Amino acid sequence: MDSSCLLSLAPNVDVFCPPRKRSRVTAPFIFKGGEKKGTEKQKQQPCSMDVLPDECLFEILRRLPGNKERSNSACVSKRWLMLLSSIRASEMAAHKNNGTVGCKALKKPLPDLNSAMSTDEEEEFESTAYLTRKLKAKDATDVRLAAMAVGTGGHGGLGKLYIEGSNATRPLTDIGLSAVARGCPSLRVLSMWNVPFISDIGLSEIASGCPMLENLDLCRCPLISDKGLIAVAQKCPNLTSLMVESCLSIGNEGLQAIGRCCPKLKSIVIKDCPLVGDQGVASLVSAASSFLARIRLQNVNISDVSLAVIGHYGKAVADLALTGLQSVSERGFWVMGNALGLQNLKSVLINSCRGVTDLGLEAIAKGSPNLKQLCLRRCCYLSDAGLKAFAITARALENLHLEECNRISLIGVLGCLLNCNEKFRALSLVKCLGIKDISFCTAPLPSCMSLRSLTIRDCPGFTGASLAVVGKICPQLQHVDLSGLVGATDAGLLPLIESSEVGLVTVNLSGCVDLTDAVVTALVKTHGTTLQMLNLEGCKKVTDKSLLVIADGCSLLDDLDMSRCMIGDYGIAVLASASQLKLQVLSLAGCSKLTQKILPFLGNMGRSMMGLNLQNCKLISAQGIGALEEKLWWCDIFY
């Protein structure tokens, strides 16, 4: 080797610099009059790195020393950004290690005091991966994901990524998802909703580049099939939660792979996937039985077999939701309960399943001794006898919700209340058309001393007589919701109000159009010292008289809704002037009698006011609202 080619930089460091030739630039000969023949003018070509091929730029960019340099380089052009996003974090780390070994003799450079953090702090951030990013529709593009992957590398990388929709003109594709896979190896949560151009290729890249993935949500991803799910199962053993919704290409094979390869799986949600059947669900539940605590199945083609497997292997299941299982019969629910494997089950939701009958529901109660919450919707074959038998058997039940169970009558409701356990706290009846007033005997009924919350919504047959009976047998009520109960009257509601011994805390009477000021007066007189929330929306017979009573008798009230009531300026002025009231939310929407005169009084309501609704108050001008906003600058005002 020629010693003249060695350039001495330091006493102990020599760098080899081979001789370089000047690049040859050819230019045409130009002949002009008066010039000598052979005169050559050389045109200087601009020197740019853009003339380099991608392979050379890749090698240069992956040798950038720090995250700041990589982020700055990504701003040069889209080409540089996409090249930087194609470099895996492992490739950067490998180059850093190799460089450290080759330069042992070099002195350690001094720290840059202008940098945001030290190298040690950067490495600490790289290991945390706590950053969360959410992209919606127009922001979800390949370039945005690439920039996100490059930019977050110096701050710990992405830990959670949520994508909702895709850009209409520049849709998100596998290219953007691959950039995240290469630049964010610590990604733990990935949620994709309505991304029609993401396929198995992108999901496989995520599986290869993000082995620490724990939560995966896929909704309306038509190009993702079992192949992508198998890749995740094989390369992401730490997966604990999987949600698959409206993915028409995902079937049994993908779920079987998840069950085999993901032993830590705790939650599985499958909705509207027509290719999923008994093989996939049964294999998944039986293989992941040790930790699987949450199962939600909706509109999948499973039969009694899957429910039998859940009942036998669901030893860790605490939350079970079954919706739209049209092929499951009474036998499936009966076997699931009698398998006696759901010992830890605490919450059950069953919606639109024709197989739920009196026999099946009682079997669930027997096989789930720790069941605390039950929600039944559109279970058309459940009757009063089944509800009573369930209440007798479920000795740990705390919350019962019945919606559109039209064979349930008031007899069944009373049978449930009078046979429930001492832990039963809440009962909700919504749109149960079978509940109607009946003739009761004069003999006193036993009391349900445990019930604290009663919700009866949109049950047109539940009128004043039924309310009076329920109120008498439930003296410990604190929370009452009777919204939409058009048959409620003053005579029916007064016994319920007067029978409460502990004091009502929240009362919702919205839509009870026949209630008058007499009910509000009795309510405030009896429970004014405990009442915290009162909703009288749509009670058109309620006037200023109720506001005067509320202003005088309520000391803890912080949420009041008087929307579409027949109240005027005087009532609001008295309410706003009540010194003991510390209202946080006040709704006066649709109160047609209110005028500009109430604005000064509302402006003096104090710093406790956080929300004020004046929508559809047509006699109040926008200018007046603007002045009120300036005065109550801390309050959210809707108009």
Side-chain angles (χ1 to χ4, degrees), residues 544-588:
D544 285 343
K545 184 178 179 181
S546 295
L547 287 179
L548 301 182
V549 174
I550 292 172
D552 183 59
C554 292
S555 56
L556 298 179
L557 190 67
D558 56 24
D559 189 340
L560 177 61
D561 193 339
M562 303 294 295
S563 301
R564 297 187 292 118
C565 293
M566 298 304 293
I567 57 175
D569 295 342
Y570 178 70
I572 296 298
V574 174
L575 181 74
S577 303
S579 58
Q580 81 279 6
L581 270 181
K582 302 297 181 183
L583 282 176
Q584 297 181 11
V585 178
L586 176 62
S587 181
L588 304 173

Side-chain angles (χ1 to χ4, degrees), residues 225-517:
S225 66
D226 289 330
K227 183 179 179 181
L229 214 55
I230 292 173
V232 171
Q234 293 175 345
K235 298 179 181 180
C236 301
N238 294 323
L239 193 70
T240 60
S241 176
L242 174 66
M243 193 277 285
V244 181
E245 180 177 354
S246 301
C247 295
L248 305 182
S249 300
I250 292 180
N252 294 324
E253 293 183 10
L255 295 182
Q256 289 173 339
I258 293 291
R260 287 193 308 267
C261 305
C262 302
K264 299 180 181 179
L265 192 67
K266 296 180 181 179
S267 174
I268 178 69
V269 178
I270 306 172
K271 297 181 179 180
D272 302 316
C273 296
L275 298 182
V276 173
D278 286 327
Q279 292 182 354
V281 173
S283 300
L284 177 62
V285 172
S286 59
S289 60
S290 299
F291 296 97
L292 192 59
R294 181 171 180 253
I295 300 176
R296 292 182 176 266
L297 304 174
Q298 176 176 325
N299 296 333
V300 291
N301 295 321
I302 63 174
S303 65
D304 299 341
V305 175
S306 294
L307 262 65
V309 172
I310 292 174
H312 182 74
Y313 290 98
K315 299 178 181 179
V317 175
D319 184 0
L320 177 63
L322 307 173
T323 302
L325 306 182
Q326 303 302 323
S327 299
V328 177
S329 65
E330 178 187 60
R331 181 183 178 184
F333 288 97
W334 184 85
V335 173
M336 183 178 70
N338 284 289
L340 302 178
L342 299 173
Q343 298 294 310
N344 292 318
L345 188 62
K346 293 179 175 59
S347 175
V348 174
L349 184 150
I350 302 176
N351 187 359
S352 303
C353 294
R354 293 180 295 180
V356 178
T357 61
D358 297 346
L359 185 63
L361 188 62
E362 186 178 4
I364 293 175
K366 290 180 180 179
S368 310
N370 295 308
L371 184 63
K372 294 183 178 181
Q373 297 181 0
L374 175 66
C375 178
L376 300 177
R377 294 177 180 148
R378 302 181 184 91
C379 296
C380 54
Y381 295 108
L382 182 65
S383 68
D384 292 340
L387 184 60
K388 180 179 178 180
F390 174 81
I392 295 174
T393 309
R395 305 316 299 170
L397 189 67
E398 298 179 0
N399 192 322
L400 176 62
H401 179 96
L402 301 177
E403 184 173 346
E404 296 187 41
C405 298
N406 295 328
R407 291 188 65 185
I408 300 296
S409 69
L410 188 58
I411 295 295
V413 174
L414 295 177
C416 175
L417 290 175
L418 299 178
N419 290 279
C420 63
N421 65 86
E422 64 279 0
K423 299 178 182 179
F424 190 57
R425 293 290 184 270
L427 173 64
S428 299
L429 304 173
V430 180
K431 298 179 181 178
C432 293
L433 303 182
I435 299 179
K436 299 178 181 179
D437 286 341
I438 58 175
S439 299
F440 294 94
C441 61
T442 57
L445 295 173
S447 298
C448 176
M449 303 300 295
S450 62
L451 194 68
R452 298 291 185 272
S453 175
L454 176 64
T455 299
I456 305 173
R457 289 204 307 264
D458 301 319
C459 298
F462 207 101
T463 59
S466 303
L467 278 175
V469 174
V470 173
K472 289 179 181 179
I473 67 174
C474 302
Q476 301 295 317
L477 284 177
Q478 293 180 311
H479 308 279
V480 176
D481 183 353
L482 305 178
S483 55
L485 216 59
V486 293
T489 61
D490 293 352
L493 194 57
L494 285 175
L496 187 147
I497 294 174
E498 295 171 354
S499 63
S500 179
E501 299 175 356
V502 295
L504 294 175
V505 178
T506 63
V507 177
N508 187 348
L509 303 175
S510 62
C512 299
V513 294
D514 289 332
L515 298 183
T516 67
D517 293 326

